[in-house]
Amino acid sequence: MAKMNLLKKKTKTFISLLFIFTLMMLTGCGSAYEPNELSLVQFVGIDRGQENLLEVSFLIAIPQNLAGENSKGGEGSFLVTVSAPTVFQALRLANTFVGRRLSFIHAKGVIFSDIIAKEGLISKLLPTLLQFRETRGTAFVAITEDAPAKLMEKLVPLLEANPSRYMELLTQNYAFTGFISSAQVQDVYNELKILGMDSVVTLINLSPEKLPEGEEKGDYKPGGIYTAGELPKKGGVEIEAIGGAVLKDGKMVATLNGTETMIYNMIRGEFNSSFISLPVPQEEKAVINLEIFYARRPQIKIKLTEQGAVVDLELRFEGNVLGGGTTIDYALSEDRVILEEAVAKSLKREVEKLVAKSQVLGSDILEIGLNARRLVKTVDEWNNLNWDVLFMNSKVNVKVDFKIRRTSTLFKHAPITQK
Amino acid sequence: MNRAMEISKIGEKEAVAYLVTIVIAKVFLTYPAVLVGYVANAAWAVVALSGLMTLFFMYFVVKLVVSFPGKSFPQICEKILGPYLGSFVALLPFLGWLIEESLLMRNFSESMLIVALPETTLSIVMLCFVGACVVAVYLGIESIARASYISFPFTLVAILAITLLSFNAWKPQYLFPLFGKGLFPIVRAGVIRSSDFLELITIYLMPFLFYPYQVRKVGLKAVMVSIVIFLLVVITYTMSFPFPVSQEPYLPLYMMAKGVYLGHFFQRIEAIFLIFWVFAGLLLLSGGFYALCIILSQVLKLPDYKPLILPLAIITFALAFAPPSLPDAVYLSNYGLREWAWFVFYGIPIFLLIVARLRGIDGKNEFTKKEN
Amino acid sequence: MDLKKLVQQIFAYQGPPTYKAFTLEETEREEKLSSDGQNSTPIEAKNKGGEFKKPKKPQRPKDAQLKFSPQKIKEMELSSNLEQSREFIELLFHLPQNKDVVIRDFTIGSSPNFAAFALFIEGMIDKTIINEHILEPLMFSSFFQDEKLDPILTCKTVLLRHIPANQVRELSTYQEVIEAVTAGDSVIFIEGSRHALACETKGFAVRSISTPTSEQVVQGPQEAFVEALRQNTALVRRIIHSENLITEMLQVGSRNKANVAVMYLNDLANPNLVREVKRRISMINSDFIADTGMLEEFIEDHPFSLVPQCLKTERPDRVAAHLIEGRVAVMIDGSPFALIVPVDFFAFLHSSEDYYVRFPYGFWLRALRMVAIFLTLLLPAFYIAVATFHQEMIPTDLLLSISAAKERVPFPTVLEILSMELSFELIREAGVRVPGVIGATLGIVGTLILGQAAVSAAIVSPISIIIVAVTGLASFAIPNYSLAFGFRFMRFIFIFLASVLGFFGISTGLFVLLLSLLSMKSFGAPFFAPVAPRTATSTDIVMRYPIWTQEQRPDSVQSLDVGRQPKFSRGWEKEKYQNSSGAQKGSEQGNGNQ
């Protein structure tokens, strides 16, 4: 009998616990949000506002339009801009007119305006952002010379439904173009905090959507000389992501064009492959295309001499001839060596130019300082080294080596018959 | 003999897995960042050095256990130091561990708030921890040790996954300057931080758990495996985050997991690892909790430890709320307590051994009869 | 409800444990190996005073004319007076009313004639045996003509010389008579003899052996147990041809007196284990036990656990395989299922098929099953946790489409999953109970509920249907019915935990679940045996490795012979390596046939 009573009691207890559980379950103990109670911020744009305020823009996804069977195919997202003293204030202020709770958990990018960047505010804003639990450290960082709000308005992808997917793909194109930087929030953050490293972040601008007009015939220019906003293009999404903005201690000090950014990637070891072109050394007015890869990771060796630091920068590449407006056979002929040397020389020139530029700017974007840390044994020694000054006055010896390994699909290149 | 001492023993593999789990559970907390705080990039050297120090201390711990076979820690103390001083010495690790246990509980609960449940009340999370611990302690150390044996591979895989998947953030240059803040800080930290292996004092606090002939092997293996895992975590961590940044976060491993980026599909997977963190944390907490109950019951000469579970749980729970904020809790746990704990906790067995030698007490003679 | 008392009951200390748990101790050989083996103390029966009063029996009207109550008769010896015997029998079997019981009077054709009668139950006996092999020889046979039968020795003589039936034994009490008759024997009473003869005449209709219904295999034996106990034991014996295979008979159920067979291999099973099994069975106080399931509940260690601790199987080959591992099988008359004890958790994840297909396929089956277990236990909880707590984990596009799909759904995710799970459980239960004729309807209704209709009515989102469907599929992939049941139940607990605390809740739940499993015992053997505590075993735990690498019996069962096969079990290959090593050492060949 006693047993029965105990059992009955247990059953009662069980039922009441079940009831409490059910109540708890429906409230979810505070941290639970249904997916359709959240509005996902895809990008954050930060601009200088009136007086001491920031103008913060959020691109918010509209799930029904982006996915689901009833997708109306309308705009995939909408833009809100709030003027507020801080980013997080803006986030909550935006919720005064956006019903669903705004969340950064799927924010894939932060876009600063160049005004902010030039004022050095990145060094304050970015750490704040990263300290927030929701922010992704892997979100990309970009700087625009237009207003971020305007830029984000134009982010209407044509191929993808989702702007965030579009930007995620676009910012990863550095792997095969080299024209943009791969900097993510956490990288920039690290580089803000340590000596001997500065970042280059991707530059994204509105496209003028104009092709050069007129009769005049232009000279050969390498493809990468453009920075965002200058590229002669028409069609597609009305933005351009090419080149980079050089930060020094969180302050934007210069811009890099496409080629410079590619060289930057090459020296930092973040280069993967790209197409380059250059005038054929043996033939006038002919241009040859090559695909270029690392043959070996870049080697940076630093010595401290009495005159200052001496940096030996060694880059080794290999390539694949893609062809071009020439009939010269580069497969087995001596011309191959000539081409290899020409490529190496032109790359070397570019590298030296970029090194000089960074030395003038005093921004160690090439991570030379990072390698210089090997020279010292302790942190104190490193701090006493005064690397900033050393770097600006250091002598950099550049060595570039280039070898052709393949010639695409052709073993021999027969000359075009001339009639 | 004491009832609590009739508990069955745990075999070598389970013992090693259990000890390693409770030692390494702290990598999920602030541990790597704390080391970096001492010596900057040379954190790995501290791990190696403190490991060696621990091995040195472990010699005495094992020696104490082996020379008094079949006796509980309070019994050893009382035999060597007499009933009053003995009980006092036996209560020292109890008090220290009680504070550490409550701080760990606070830290683990707070880490849940950081990682996954930002808007949940701390007390609910902590209640879950305490509740699970109470259940675990009721079920006994055997189950806890077995659970750590089963979950050990998973914990290991989780740690490996976090450390290795963050490979795109690795920069070997971050390891330089190689000697961090200099040799003296390294040696100092190496000695002080031997208290990071403090959980190994389980060996002398609960000597009845282990087969006497295995204790030496168990201790050695546990230290070695923990060193390897610590090294793995610390080196990959210092490779992923440069020095001033690497001392910043509360939860370094969480930051590493947050940085994992493998294409569109595989990002921000830190929540998955949470399962293993909780497991490791619960094992550490319930194991420590069990130790508390056992020691107290043995000092008080109670026939059973179970009546102590609930009061101790409440005390721990209350103590956990003592630090006013998370930074305080982290500071108390990592700097306040652990900086001197090694001296006391490793000092006790050495002290006991010396006194035993001086007073000519040999535990073995008396017990050889009972052994077989 | 008094919350304080409840908390006290759960947490507070209620005195030191007074019971003595049964533990399978290490065998002697191992005790020598490990220094700390404790001496096993003999198991003492729990001395429990009758705590609760029996309800008072309603008074039965006393039969006035009889001096003897049925209870008294049962304890009496048989008398030599045939008349009296008959009277007693009629009283015991309530004869005029009870039409099943037949008394056939006849005279034995000897000189002088002896009066006799045969007692049997209609329907339980084989008529031909009685007619041709009992009545005919006794009544007509001429052997008796020359003989002078001594009344005292009649029975013996008749038994030895005159009844050509295969099993005949002498009975001496009425209790024995009752047992024999109710089991289907025919009992012959002879005038002047103090004994009666029980002839084996069982001949009731039984289902013929058919294919297993709950443990099907594609390749492998296709026969299953039936309801007849003797046939079942014979099915096992057909697989294990060993004189050491012992079948002990016990009786359970004070009213239905079901026969229980305890089968074990004498040279393998630990005697302590066999004793414990028999002890538990013989100490059951219950009046009706009809199936192994009921028996299981009476003898298992943790009746409140969600996980079974006895393996119930309908496959003779499976029983044989476990007997060879040194375990004990328990069967009960009337149930086509056998219980195997002790058993470890991993046995529930095994299917006979794993061993009958080649190693790589068996390995794959096991791997698949492991996935199924995690899916069935955790998938809905995982989905809820991810969708409501850890949305950052979900790829952006997927989160958007989940969000879009939920746009018109008014319920929270938990409720969606719960309602779908509930309807799935309903379909499942209805599917078992529904009469076969209208079974097809169920499928249609099920697809409608769990399908398009629910989605288009915006009651649930499509993704939760996928989750529930996958979970359902996975739960069918668990080979053991009881374990699948347990997991289905636990799934709901995990759903609760996940909806309250996300992954943290799930992992806390897993921790408590794991620990409670680890602290369990099945007939004294640790439940998670070969893994934790780690004991010597063959390579067949979670995964199945080649059969020729399985050299040991599981140590946790403490069988008397650990070795199963020598290191070199592929004997024909020996010639290849003859020079390289003497690989012959190690354990002796196990006794049973493999």
mmCIF file of all heavy atoms in Angstrom, chain A residues 40-52:
data_model
loop_
_atom_site.group_PDB
_atom_site.id
_atom_site.type_symbol
_atom_site.label_atom_id
_atom_site.label_comp_id
_atom_site.label_asym_id
_atom_site.label_seq_id
_atom_site.Cartn_x
_atom_site.Cartn_y
_atom_site.Cartn_z
ATOM 1 N N LEU A 40 17.626 39.375 -39.718
ATOM 2 C CA LEU A 40 19.055 39.158 -39.862
ATOM 3 C C LEU A 40 19.695 40.326 -40.590
ATOM 4 O O LEU A 40 19.362 40.611 -41.742
ATOM 5 C CB LEU A 40 19.301 37.871 -40.646
ATOM 6 C CG LEU A 40 18.671 36.629 -40.016
ATOM 7 C CD1 LEU A 40 18.943 35.416 -40.880
ATOM 8 C CD2 LEU A 40 19.211 36.415 -38.618
ATOM 9 N N VAL A 41 20.590 40.977 -39.895
ATOM 10 C CA VAL A 41 21.363 42.031 -40.535
ATOM 11 C C VAL A 41 22.415 41.357 -41.391
ATOM 12 O O VAL A 41 23.137 40.484 -40.927
ATOM 13 C CB VAL A 41 22.043 42.913 -39.470
ATOM 14 C CG1 VAL A 41 22.963 43.907 -40.125
ATOM 15 C CG2 VAL A 41 20.999 43.601 -38.635
ATOM 16 N N GLN A 42 22.474 41.755 -42.653
ATOM 17 C CA GLN A 42 23.456 41.120 -43.518
ATOM 18 C C GLN A 42 24.759 41.908 -43.575
ATOM 19 O O GLN A 42 25.824 41.332 -43.580
ATOM 20 C CB GLN A 42 22.882 40.939 -44.917
ATOM 21 C CG GLN A 42 21.634 40.072 -44.864
ATOM 22 C CD GLN A 42 21.216 39.617 -46.216
ATOM 23 O OE1 GLN A 42 20.950 40.442 -47.072
ATOM 24 N NE2 GLN A 42 21.155 38.322 -46.419
ATOM 25 N N PHE A 43 24.630 43.216 -43.649
ATOM 26 C CA PHE A 43 25.818 44.064 -43.621
ATOM 27 C C PHE A 43 25.561 45.245 -42.715
ATOM 28 O O PHE A 43 24.439 45.710 -42.584
ATOM 29 C CB PHE A 43 26.173 44.594 -45.000
ATOM 30 C CG PHE A 43 26.315 43.530 -46.007
ATOM 31 C CD1 PHE A 43 25.367 43.367 -46.997
ATOM 32 C CD2 PHE A 43 27.380 42.662 -45.948
ATOM 33 C CE1 PHE A 43 25.478 42.360 -47.903
ATOM 34 C CE2 PHE A 43 27.488 41.645 -46.857
ATOM 35 C CZ PHE A 43 26.546 41.496 -47.842
ATOM 36 N N VAL A 44 26.628 45.723 -42.169
ATOM 37 C CA VAL A 44 26.553 46.934 -41.367
ATOM 38 C C VAL A 44 27.371 47.993 -42.087
ATOM 39 O O VAL A 44 28.519 47.742 -42.468
ATOM 40 C CB VAL A 44 27.151 46.699 -39.967
ATOM 41 C CG1 VAL A 44 26.921 47.913 -39.094
ATOM 42 C CG2 VAL A 44 26.566 45.461 -39.350
ATOM 43 N N GLY A 45 26.764 49.125 -42.304
ATOM 44 C CA GLY A 45 27.512 50.222 -42.897
ATOM 45 C C GLY A 45 27.656 51.338 -41.874
ATOM 46 O O GLY A 45 26.696 51.677 -41.186
ATOM 47 N N ILE A 46 28.838 51.879 -41.746
ATOM 48 C CA ILE A 46 29.050 52.905 -40.724
ATOM 49 C C ILE A 46 29.612 54.159 -41.379
ATOM 50 O O ILE A 46 30.650 54.114 -42.061
ATOM 51 C CB ILE A 46 30.009 52.403 -39.631
ATOM 52 C CG1 ILE A 46 29.461 51.105 -39.025
ATOM 53 C CG2 ILE A 46 30.172 53.444 -38.545
ATOM 54 C CD1 ILE A 46 30.389 50.455 -38.056
ATOM 55 N N ASP A 47 28.925 55.248 -41.174
ATOM 56 C CA ASP A 47 29.306 56.503 -41.812
ATOM 57 C C ASP A 47 29.327 57.593 -40.752
ATOM 58 O O ASP A 47 28.708 57.469 -39.695
ATOM 59 C CB ASP A 47 28.278 56.843 -42.914
ATOM 60 C CG ASP A 47 28.858 57.856 -43.886
ATOM 61 O OD1 ASP A 47 29.994 58.332 -43.645
ATOM 62 O OD2 ASP A 47 28.166 58.159 -44.877
ATOM 63 N N ARG A 48 30.032 58.634 -41.052
ATOM 64 C CA ARG A 48 30.054 59.780 -40.150
ATOM 65 C C ARG A 48 28.728 60.518 -40.285
ATOM 66 O O ARG A 48 28.262 60.818 -41.370
ATOM 67 C CB ARG A 48 31.234 60.639 -40.569
ATOM 68 C CG ARG A 48 31.349 62.032 -40.101
ATOM 69 C CD ARG A 48 31.408 62.367 -38.682
ATOM 70 N NE ARG A 48 32.590 62.227 -37.880
ATOM 71 C CZ ARG A 48 32.507 61.671 -36.676
ATOM 72 N NH1 ARG A 48 31.383 61.144 -36.262
ATOM 73 N NH2 ARG A 48 33.543 61.666 -35.914
ATOM 74 N N GLY A 49 28.084 60.777 -39.159
ATOM 75 C CA GLY A 49 26.810 61.465 -39.221
ATOM 76 C C GLY A 49 26.975 62.912 -38.822
ATOM 77 O O GLY A 49 28.087 63.412 -38.658
ATOM 78 N N GLN A 50 25.838 63.572 -38.632
ATOM 79 C CA GLN A 50 25.886 64.962 -38.194
ATOM 80 C C GLN A 50 26.449 65.036 -36.789
ATOM 81 O O GLN A 50 26.260 64.148 -35.978
ATOM 82 C CB GLN A 50 24.485 65.561 -38.215
ATOM 83 C CG GLN A 50 23.923 65.776 -39.609
ATOM 84 C CD GLN A 50 24.807 66.669 -40.440
ATOM 85 O OE1 GLN A 50 25.156 67.761 -40.008
ATOM 86 N NE2 GLN A 50 25.188 66.224 -41.636
ATOM 87 N N GLU A 51 27.142 66.099 -36.524
ATOM 88 C CA GLU A 51 27.742 66.317 -35.219
ATOM 89 C C GLU A 51 28.544 65.105 -34.777
ATOM 90 O O GLU A 51 29.328 64.576 -35.529
ATOM 91 C CB GLU A 51 26.644 66.686 -34.196
ATOM 92 C CG GLU A 51 26.067 68.055 -34.480
ATOM 93 C CD GLU A 51 24.832 68.341 -33.664
ATOM 94 O OE1 GLU A 51 24.581 67.625 -32.686
ATOM 95 O OE2 GLU A 51 24.122 69.297 -34.018
ATOM 96 N N ASN A 52 28.285 64.663 -33.559
ATOM 97 C CA ASN A 52 29.147 63.606 -33.053
ATOM 98 C C ASN A 52 28.562 62.222 -33.273
ATOM 99 O O ASN A 52 28.954 61.261 -32.647
ATOM 100 C CB ASN A 52 29.387 63.846 -31.568
ATOM 101 C CG ASN A 52 30.703 63.233 -31.161
ATOM 102 O OD1 ASN A 52 31.498 62.899 -32.032
ATOM 103 N ND2 ASN A 52 30.912 63.074 -29.876
#
